[in-house]
Amino acid sequence: MEIITVVPFLTMAKKVLIVFAHQSSGSFNAAAKSAAVEVLAAQGCTVEVSDLYAMNFKAAATAEDIKGDVKDAEHFRYQEETRLAWEEGRLAEDITAEQTKLSEADLVIFQFPMYWFSVPAIMKGWIDRVLTCGFAFTKEKRYSQGLLKEKKAMLSFTTGSLESMFSSTGMNGDMNVTLWPIQNGILHYCGFQVLPPQVFWAPSCASPEARTAMLEGWRSRLQGLLEEKPLSFISLDCFDPKSFQLTPDVQEKHASQEFGLTVGIHLGKPLPPQNQMKAGC
């Protein structure tokens, strides 16, 4: 009699890439990164870290990212030139090395301190240079049909302000609105299944006990991270391929709903609460 062992999803050989952006190995962000490495590795995952500052990763997207001559030096267009270079295998080695890591990963975690309501410049450079047209998206294959749709991604970051300050009545504004350009305009655009963010609210203002509790909460979440459901976004099929507008039937279907569809595509209605913070919202 043959016995077949069913291996739970989390114990399978999943690969995780952590894109890490902090200058200090003694930072809270470094502790959060290390916790992820430790917990995920203990579950049998292969975890690789791209430590951008330690790598001295080049942030500027320039013609130097292309080996050999560019197609049009006088009117240089980075997206078009890097798409062609990707197709011909002429991208710079630091870009192709990161693309290889990304191609092999099932989950990508971006670990960083929030700078100016976004990611640090060095991480934005990673995004600009690594997620090239042709590799991560095309005009035809983006959003729900993006080229990275089989992968999961998430943001894990620290803030300098308290959670209450990132509310709909707080001086920084609703965090759901802040995250829309990153989670929809970058991650979802490339097709990623976007997991809810892990937000560490103002650890620099917290007590040692509170910081420890934050990390323990992260460790606990990591135990089931790969089984989590992603955030909700609108399928590309809901848009007219010529006008790029929601189709009339979709608009009619949601006309009587209290809230908009998403933070960005809200139909002039109140924003759906926690749409960029919790799955199913």
Side-chain angles (χ1 to χ4, degrees):
M1 178 179 180
E2 182 180 3
I3 299 176
I4 301 176
T5 302
V6 178
V7 181
F9 181 73
L10 283 178
T11 61
M12 296 174 66
K14 295 293 177 180
K15 293 188 177 181
V16 180
L17 172 62
I18 301 177
V19 183
F20 174 63
H22 199 287
Q23 304 91 332
S24 174
S25 60
S27 65
F28 186 92
N29 272 274
K33 176 261 297 177
S34 296
V37 172
E38 180 182 335
V39 175
L40 292 171
Q43 296 177 50
C45 294
T46 300
V47 185
E48 188 164 13
V49 177
S50 285
D51 186 338
L52 301 184
Y53 285 105
M55 295 161 59
N56 196 26
F57 189 81
K58 175 177 173 286
T62 68
E64 295 175 357
D65 295 341
I66 300 165
K67 296 178 181 178
D69 296 332
V70 298
K71 181 179 179 181
D72 188 345
E74 184 176 357
H75 300 288
F76 181 75
R77 293 186 298 166
Y78 188 83
Q79 178 174 299
E80 176 63 22
E81 294 286 358
T82 52
R83 180 193 62 79
L84 183 62
W86 174 78
E87 292 175 350
E88 298 176 351
R90 296 189 295 108
L91 284 175
E93 292 179 359
D94 62 336
I95 296 177
T96 57
E98 294 303 299
Q99 289 183 340
T100 297
K101 296 177 189 177
L102 182 52
S103 295
E104 296 174 349
D106 299 293
L107 167 67
V108 183
I109 300 174
F110 293 88
Q111 182 65 57
F112 61 96
M114 178 170 275
Y115 282 9
W116 293 109
F117 295 73
S118 187
V119 300
I122 197 168
M123 181 172 283
K124 182 57 165 58
W126 188 95
I127 291 167
D128 290 343
R129 298 179 66 231
V130 175
L131 301 180
T132 57
C133 182
F135 170 76
F137 68 93
T138 65
K139 183 179 179 180
E140 296 75 26
K141 294 186 178 296
R142 51 184 169 171
Y143 291 117
S144 59
Q145 297 175 15
L147 296 173
L148 303 179
K149 64 182 180 180
E150 301 301 322
K151 303 179 184 298
K152 295 181 178 181
M154 69 172 294
L155 307 178
S156 176
F157 61 94
T158 58
T159 68
S161 300
L162 301 173
E163 181 176 6
S164 60
M165 297 170 68
F166 280 102
S167 67
S168 59
T169 57
M171 66 185 299
N172 289 342
D174 191 339
M175 179 60 86
N176 289 277
V177 177
T178 299
L179 293 179
W180 175 258
I182 307 173
Q183 295 188 153
N184 177 74
I186 298 173
L187 301 182
H188 176 53
Y189 190 92
C190 295
F192 281 114
Q193 301 169 49
V194 186
L195 298 182
Q198 178 70 27
V199 187
F200 300 101
W201 301 103
S204 62
C205 302
S207 66
E209 294 78 14
R211 290 196 293 271
T212 297
M214 290 181 193
L215 289 173
E216 287 305 310
W218 177 223
R219 286 177 173 273
S220 178
R221 182 183 177 188
L222 285 162
Q223 296 290 342
L225 188 65
L226 288 173
E227 292 182 332
E228 287 188 3
K229 294 182 178 180
L231 298 171
S232 299
F233 294 94
I234 303 172
S235 173
L236 200 60
D237 296 335
C238 294
F239 296 89
D240 182 275
K242 294 183 179 180
S243 68
F244 307 109
Q245 301 293 302
L246 284 172
T247 59
D249 60 312
V250 172
Q251 295 191 47
E252 181 180 353
K253 179 180 178 181
H254 292 277
S256 61
Q257 299 298 313
E258 179 181 2
F259 297 105
L261 291 167
T262 62
V263 167
I265 305 168
H266 49 69
L267 302 171
K269 298 174 180 290
L271 304 186
Q274 302 302 310
N275 175 252
Q276 291 297 294
M277 297 289 284
K278 295 182 179 180
C281 296

